[in-house]
Short mmCIF file of all heavy atoms in Angstrom, two decimals:
data_model
loop_
_atom_site.label_atom_id
_atom_site.label_comp_id
_atom_site.label_asym_id
_atom_site.label_seq_id
_atom_site.Cartn_x
_atom_site.Cartn_y
_atom_site.Cartn_z
N THR A 1 88.11 102.54 83.61
CA THR A 1 87.48 102.92 84.86
C THR A 1 88.50 103.59 85.78
O THR A 1 89.59 103.07 86.00
CB THR A 1 86.89 101.69 85.56
OG1 THR A 1 85.98 101.05 84.67
CG2 THR A 1 86.17 102.06 86.84
N GLY A 2 88.16 104.78 86.26
CA GLY A 2 89.03 105.51 87.16
C GLY A 2 90.20 106.21 86.50
O GLY A 2 91.06 106.77 87.17
N GLN A 3 90.25 106.20 85.17
CA GLN A 3 91.36 106.80 84.43
C GLN A 3 90.85 108.01 83.63
O GLN A 3 89.66 108.19 83.43
CB GLN A 3 91.95 105.78 83.46
CG GLN A 3 92.44 104.51 84.11
CD GLN A 3 93.79 104.68 84.76
OE1 GLN A 3 94.62 105.45 84.29
NE2 GLN A 3 94.02 103.96 85.83
N ALA A 4 91.80 108.79 83.15
CA ALA A 4 91.46 109.94 82.29
C ALA A 4 91.05 109.45 80.90
O ALA A 4 91.46 108.37 80.46
CB ALA A 4 92.67 110.86 82.16
N ARG A 5 90.25 110.25 80.22
CA ARG A 5 89.85 109.95 78.84
C ARG A 5 91.02 110.28 77.93
O ARG A 5 91.61 111.35 78.03
CB ARG A 5 88.63 110.80 78.49
CG ARG A 5 88.08 110.52 77.11
CD ARG A 5 86.82 111.28 76.89
NE ARG A 5 87.14 112.65 76.51
CZ ARG A 5 86.31 113.47 75.90
NH1 ARG A 5 85.08 113.09 75.64
NH2 ARG A 5 86.68 114.69 75.59
N LEU A 6 91.36 109.36 77.02
CA LEU A 6 92.50 109.54 76.11
C LEU A 6 92.05 109.42 74.67
O LEU A 6 91.18 108.61 74.34
CB LEU A 6 93.57 108.48 76.40
CG LEU A 6 94.14 108.47 77.83
CD1 LEU A 6 94.99 107.23 78.06
CD2 LEU A 6 94.95 109.73 78.07
N SER A 7 92.66 110.21 73.80
CA SER A 7 92.34 110.19 72.37
C SER A 7 92.92 108.96 71.71
O SER A 7 94.01 108.50 72.06
CB SER A 7 92.91 111.42 71.68
OG SER A 7 92.32 112.59 72.16
N LEU A 8 92.19 108.45 70.72
CA LEU A 8 92.68 107.36 69.89
C LEU A 8 93.09 107.93 68.54
O LEU A 8 92.34 108.68 67.92
CB LEU A 8 91.60 106.30 69.70
CG LEU A 8 91.20 105.52 70.94
CD1 LEU A 8 90.07 104.55 70.62
CD2 LEU A 8 92.38 104.77 71.52
N VAL A 9 94.29 107.57 68.09
CA VAL A 9 94.82 108.04 66.82
C VAL A 9 94.76 106.87 65.84
O VAL A 9 95.34 105.82 66.09
CB VAL A 9 96.28 108.52 66.98
CG1 VAL A 9 96.85 108.98 65.65
CG2 VAL A 9 96.37 109.62 68.04
N PRO A 10 94.03 107.02 64.72
CA PRO A 10 93.87 105.89 63.80
C PRO A 10 95.18 105.49 63.13
O PRO A 10 95.96 106.33 62.70
CB PRO A 10 92.86 106.40 62.78
CG PRO A 10 92.78 107.87 62.95
CD PRO A 10 93.31 108.21 64.30
N VAL A 11 95.39 104.18 63.07
CA VAL A 11 96.50 103.59 62.34
C VAL A 11 95.95 102.91 61.09
O VAL A 11 96.51 103.01 60.01
CB VAL A 11 97.26 102.56 63.22
CG1 VAL A 11 98.34 101.84 62.43
CG2 VAL A 11 97.84 103.25 64.44
N SER A 12 94.82 102.22 61.26
CA SER A 12 94.08 101.61 60.16
C SER A 12 92.61 101.58 60.59
O SER A 12 92.25 102.11 61.65
CB SER A 12 94.61 100.20 59.86
OG SER A 12 94.38 99.33 60.94
N ALA A 13 91.77 100.94 59.78
CA ALA A 13 90.33 100.97 60.04
C ALA A 13 89.95 100.49 61.44
O ALA A 13 89.08 101.07 62.07
CB ALA A 13 89.61 100.14 58.99
N ASP A 14 90.58 99.46 61.94
CA ASP A 14 90.22 98.90 63.24
C ASP A 14 91.36 98.93 64.25
O ASP A 14 91.32 98.24 65.27
CB ASP A 14 89.76 97.44 63.08
CG ASP A 14 88.42 97.31 62.39
OD1 ASP A 14 87.60 98.25 62.50
OD2 ASP A 14 88.16 96.28 61.76
N HIS A 15 92.38 99.74 63.99
CA HIS A 15 93.58 99.75 64.84
C HIS A 15 93.93 101.20 65.18
O HIS A 15 94.03 102.05 64.30
CB HIS A 15 94.72 99.08 64.09
CG HIS A 15 95.98 98.95 64.88
ND1 HIS A 15 97.13 98.49 64.33
CD2 HIS A 15 96.29 99.23 66.17
CE1 HIS A 15 98.10 98.49 65.23
NE2 HIS A 15 97.60 98.94 66.36
N PHE A 16 94.15 101.45 66.47
CA PHE A 16 94.40 102.81 66.95
C PHE A 16 95.53 102.83 67.97
O PHE A 16 95.69 101.89 68.74
CB PHE A 16 93.14 103.38 67.64
CG PHE A 16 91.94 103.41 66.75
CD1 PHE A 16 91.16 102.27 66.57
CD2 PHE A 16 91.59 104.56 66.08
CE1 PHE A 16 90.05 102.28 65.74
CE2 PHE A 16 90.49 104.59 65.24
CZ PHE A 16 89.71 103.44 65.07
N LYS A 17 96.30 103.90 67.98
CA LYS A 17 97.27 104.15 69.04
C LYS A 17 96.60 105.04 70.07
O LYS A 17 95.80 105.91 69.72
CB LYS A 17 98.52 104.83 68.49
CG LYS A 17 99.37 103.92 67.64
CD LYS A 17 100.76 104.48 67.49
CE LYS A 17 101.63 103.51 66.74
NZ LYS A 17 102.25 102.53 67.60
N VAL A 18 96.93 104.81 71.34
CA VAL A 18 96.38 105.63 72.42
C VAL A 18 97.34 106.81 72.60
O VAL A 18 98.52 106.62 72.89
CB VAL A 18 96.24 104.82 73.73
CG1 VAL A 18 95.65 105.69 74.82
CG2 VAL A 18 95.38 103.58 73.50
N GLN A 19 96.82 108.02 72.41
CA GLN A 19 97.66 109.21 72.47
C GLN A 19 98.17 109.43 73.89
O GLN A 19 97.42 109.40 74.86
CB GLN A 19 96.88 110.43 72.01
CG GLN A 19 97.73 111.66 71.85
CD GLN A 19 96.96 112.80 71.20
OE1 GLN A 19 95.75 112.77 71.07
NE2 GLN A 19 97.69 113.82 70.77
N GLY A 20 99.51 109.61 74.02
CA GLY A 20 100.12 109.90 75.31
C GLY A 20 100.44 108.69 76.15
O GLY A 20 100.95 108.82 77.26
N VAL A 21 100.14 107.50 75.65
CA VAL A 21 100.38 106.26 76.40
C VAL A 21 100.96 105.24 75.42
O VAL A 21 100.58 105.20 74.26
CB VAL A 21 99.06 105.72 77.00
CG1 VAL A 21 99.28 104.40 77.71
CG2 VAL A 21 98.44 106.73 77.95
N ASP A 22 101.87 104.39 75.90
CA ASP A 22 102.43 103.33 75.05
C ASP A 22 101.45 102.17 75.03
O ASP A 22 101.63 101.16 75.71
CB ASP A 22 103.79 102.90 75.57
CG ASP A 22 104.49 101.93 74.63
OD1 ASP A 22 104.09 101.85 73.44
OD2 ASP A 22 105.42 101.24 75.07
N ALA A 23 100.36 102.35 74.28
CA ALA A 23 99.31 101.33 74.20
C ALA A 23 98.60 101.45 72.86
O ALA A 23 98.65 102.49 72.20
CB ALA A 23 98.30 101.51 75.34
N GLU A 24 97.96 100.36 72.46
CA GLU A 24 97.19 100.33 71.23
C GLU A 24 95.85 99.65 71.50
O GLU A 24 95.74 98.79 72.38
CB GLU A 24 97.93 99.55 70.14
CG GLU A 24 99.26 100.17 69.76
CD GLU A 24 100.01 99.36 68.72
OE1 GLU A 24 99.46 98.36 68.19
OE2 GLU A 24 101.16 99.72 68.43
N VAL A 25 94.85 100.04 70.73
CA VAL A 25 93.53 99.44 70.81
C VAL A 25 93.14 98.99 69.41
O VAL A 25 93.34 99.73 68.44
CB VAL A 25 92.49 100.47 71.33
CG1 VAL A 25 91.07 99.95 71.17
CG2 VAL A 25 92.77 100.83 72.77
#
C-alpha cells in the first residue's frame, strides 16, 4: 500500500526475490 509495483523474480516454485529491493517473498 502506497508503494510502487515491483517485479518478482522466481527463485523456486513458491519463492521469489523482489527486483530492486533487498527483500524476498
Side-chain angles (χ1 to χ4, degrees):
T1 304
Q3 302 281 328
R5 183 174 82 160
L6 301 169
S7 296
L8 293 177
V9 179
V11 174
S12 65
D14 289 333
H15 183 186
F16 302 82
K17 289 198 175 273
V18 181
Q19 189 172 13
V21 177
D22 187 17
E24 298 178 6
V25 169

